[in-house]
Each structure stands twice: as C-alpha cells, then as structure tokens.
C-alpha cells in the first residue's frame, strides 16, 4: 500500500533538489517524494527527471511497483498554496495515506519526517490528525535568521492566535503531516490563499472541523543555498488574510467529518 508521500514545491531549486531527494530516500523509514515544479527556468525539473531515471530500475527491482520519485510540472509560477493542493490531490487519487509538506532548501530537516509521521500514525489517545513541525512549541528554535525576522515570525503567530482563537504556537509553519482523510474533508471547499497565508488557512480549517492538531518540536535552519521566495506581498496577504479568513468563517458551515465527501479531482494545472 502507498503510505507516505512528501510533497515538495519548487521554483529555481537546482542547488538543493538533488540533495533533498537523496536525503529523504536515505531515511530509515520509506517515504515517496512528489516534486511540484512551477516551470523553473534553472532546470530543476530536468534534474528531477534525471534522478528519476537513476532510481527507476532500483525501485522496480526492490519494490516491484512504481517509482518512489514523482514529478508534477505546472505552467509557470502559480503559488505555494496551489502547488501543495495539486500535490495533495495527485497523492490522494493514488491512495497515499499520509501526506507531508516540506521545503526543498533544508530549512526543514528531513530526519524530522519520521517524528511527524509517528505523531499521526501511532495508535492511542494522543494520535494526531495533523502534525505540525513547530519552531516555537519549546522556546524559539530558529537558526541563521536575523533577529528582526525571528521577531516578525514569532509575533505573527501571536497575532494569528489572537484573531482566530487557535492555540497553535506556529500557525505559519510549512512542515506538516496530514492524514489523507483530513485532506479529503478540508479540500472539499476551496482554500483561498496561495502564499504563506495558505499555511494559516489550512490549519485554521482543520481546527474548525475539529481535527486534532499536534505540534512536534523541530529546529528550523535558514537556507544556505538558493534564494528565499518571501516578499512583502506574501507578508501582507498573511496579515490581512487572517482577518478576512476569520470573518468569512462566521458565514461558513463546516460539515461534520462523517458527512464530508470523499472524492477529489485531478490537479487542473498539471502538464
């Protein structure tokens, strides 16, 4: 059974992509990888295809099934949120049970995928529906960020908690494990934001549906290669989008989980 898939959006990540794929594949527990590339002009997608060819024969011999590395190419830079949503829909149509968000630049340590997985997969009363790799659940665990950016990120969380009522310490985190049945529910209605506000909206929607969200402590390390995609436009979307999201929630009916539809559509932007 296809169980674990890591969705990694890319745009101009040629300096990181091979290393992050090989690191995920070296973990002691198996994870498949889906790269969602937005037409990177630096050749990121072609490098993924080269690695696919390298792993294809080995995968077929060892697993007797399809390859572990997959590529979804899209027409241009369409946004972080839509990249993840397209990746999630692709994965659910193929039967994956646990879906992960992770950056390509090693700001998220791939070793922590195992902790996120077990937070959602292990049986017991503490089992999570959504596991968040949290920078702030045990102090401030951020490496190589200037103090100004650390403060902006931390107080963004304070602001989100104040507006939404959620207790999540790191609502903007982008290192997350979702159970597939959670995504089947929350993706029934469109997720509106495409930048970093997408991360807040996903967690807020899960919370409104009553899913159990657990924060797992991680250490976040700023990228050492490539260029950050953060911009003032993305930041403004997050600030003003939280208010819009909260107001809209007053007029939205959150369908109980047992009544939610179980079908998703193929990503429309896939090539």
């Amino acid at each position: 059974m296809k169980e674990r898939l890591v969705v990694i959006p890319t745009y101009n990540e040629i300096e990181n992509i091979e290393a992050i794929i090989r690191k995920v594949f070296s973990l002691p527990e198996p994870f498949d990888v889906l790269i969602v590339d937005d037409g990177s002009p630096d050749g990121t997608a072609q490098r993924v295809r080269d690695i696919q060819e390298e792993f294809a024969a080995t995968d077929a011999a060892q697993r007797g099934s399809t390859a572990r590395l997959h590529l979804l190419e899209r027409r241009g830079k369409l946004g972080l949120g839509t990249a993840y949503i397209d990746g999630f829909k692709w994965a659910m149509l193929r039967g994956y049970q646990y879906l992960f968000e992770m950056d390509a630049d090693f700001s998220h340590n791939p070793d922590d995928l195992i902790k996120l997985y077990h937070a959602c997969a292990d049986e017991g009363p503490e089992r999570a529906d959504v596991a968040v790799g949290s920078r702030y659940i045990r102090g401030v665990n951020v490496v190589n960020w200037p103090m100004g950016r650390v403060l902006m990120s931390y107080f963004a969380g304070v602001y989100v908690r104040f507006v939404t009522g959620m207790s999540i310490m790191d609502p903007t985190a982008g290192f997350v494990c979702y159970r597939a049945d959670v995504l089947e529910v929350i993706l029934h209605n469109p997720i509106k934001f495409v930048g970093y506000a997408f991360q807040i909206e996903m967690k807020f929607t899960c919370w409104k549906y009553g899913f159990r969200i657990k924060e797992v402590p991680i250490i976040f390390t700023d990228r050492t290669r490539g260029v950050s995609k953060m911009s003032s436009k993305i930041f403004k979307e997050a600030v003003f989008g939280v208010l819009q999201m909260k107001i809209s929630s007053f007029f939205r009916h959150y369908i109980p989980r047992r009544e939610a539809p179980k079908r998703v559509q193929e990503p429309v932007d896939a090539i």
Side-chain angles (χ1 to χ4, degrees):
M1 180 180 68
K2 295 180 179 179
E3 188 176 32
R4 293 170 275 200
L5 182 77
V6 184
V7 180
I8 304 178
T10 56
Y11 184 79
N12 286 349
E13 291 289 357
I14 191 68
E15 296 177 80
N16 294 302
I17 194 61
E18 180 172 355
I20 197 74
I21 291 169
R22 293 187 186 279
K23 176 59 179 174
V24 173
F25 286 170
S26 73
L27 295 176
E29 299 186 27
F31 292 82
D32 290 1
V33 174
L34 172 65
I35 305 299
V36 183
D37 187 71
D38 276 7
S40 297
D42 69 349
T44 297
Q46 182 56 55
R47 187 70 195 104
V48 174
R49 284 192 288 270
D50 292 342
I51 301 169
Q52 279 182 309
E53 292 182 6
E54 175 186 337
F55 279 103
T58 302
D59 289 336
Q62 291 182 351
R63 292 167 39 127
S65 60
T66 57
R68 296 176 61 189
L69 177 59
H70 309 277
L71 174 64
L72 180 61
E73 297 186 70
R74 307 197 307 165
R75 300 180 180 89
K77 200 172 181 181
L78 301 174
L80 179 74
T82 63
Y84 276 125
I85 290 170
D86 281 354
F88 293 155
K89 290 179 177 180
W90 184 97
M92 286 187 289
L93 286 169
R94 288 157 179 82
Y96 285 97
Q97 300 301 304
Y98 299 92
L99 288 82
F100 300 78
E101 298 181 2
M102 190 176 75
D103 291 346
D105 59 8
F106 283 94
S107 55
H108 304 137
N109 184 346
D111 290 333
D112 290 329
L113 287 167
I114 295 173
K115 293 195 298 185
L116 294 179
Y117 167 70
H118 285 288
C120 288
D122 290 352
E123 297 295 335
E126 298 300 314
R127 189 184 74 173
D129 299 307
V130 180
V132 177
S134 178
R135 298 164 288 187
Y136 306 122
I137 192 64
R138 293 182 182 170
V140 177
N141 292 298
V142 177
V143 178
N144 292 339
W145 263 8
M147 183 56 66
R149 188 166 180 185
V150 172
L151 291 173
M152 181 178 70
S153 173
Y154 180 83
F155 284 105
V158 174
Y159 169 72
V160 170
R161 290 193 296 277
F162 174 76
V163 172
T164 64
M166 292 191 298
S167 61
I168 300 172
M169 290 298 296
D170 196 357
T172 61
F175 195 20
V176 185
C177 173
Y178 295 95
R179 294 173 62 89
D181 54 352
V182 173
L183 294 172
E184 286 169 348
V185 172
I186 68 173
L187 295 184
H188 174 59
N189 293 308
I191 299 296
K192 296 180 180 179
F193 298 117
V194 298
Y196 284 86
F198 162 83
Q199 303 292 2
I200 302 169
E201 186 177 7
M202 289 287 286
K203 296 175 187 67
F204 179 72
T205 306
C206 291
W207 177 69
K208 291 291 288 184
Y209 275 113
F211 288 111
R212 179 179 174 82
I213 303 172
K214 180 178 181 179
E215 292 188 84
V216 176
I218 65 163
I219 296 175
F220 178 96
T221 304
D222 196 21
R223 67 162 65 231
T224 58
R225 297 180 178 180
V227 179
S228 172
K229 311 305 187 296
M230 177 61 76
S231 68
S232 60
K233 180 180 178 182
I234 289 172
F235 181 72
K236 288 177 181 177
E237 180 195 58
V239 170
F240 296 107
V242 170
L243 288 171
Q244 178 186 344
M245 180 185 70
K246 177 64 174 180
I247 293 169
S248 298
S249 72
F250 294 133
F251 306 97
R252 177 174 169 181
H253 174 57
Y254 291 86
I255 307 170
R257 285 183 282 180
R258 64 182 179 275
E259 300 174 12
K262 298 295 184 181
R263 299 183 64 186
V264 296
Q265 296 179 343
E266 187 77 35
V268 295
D269 293 314
I271 297 177

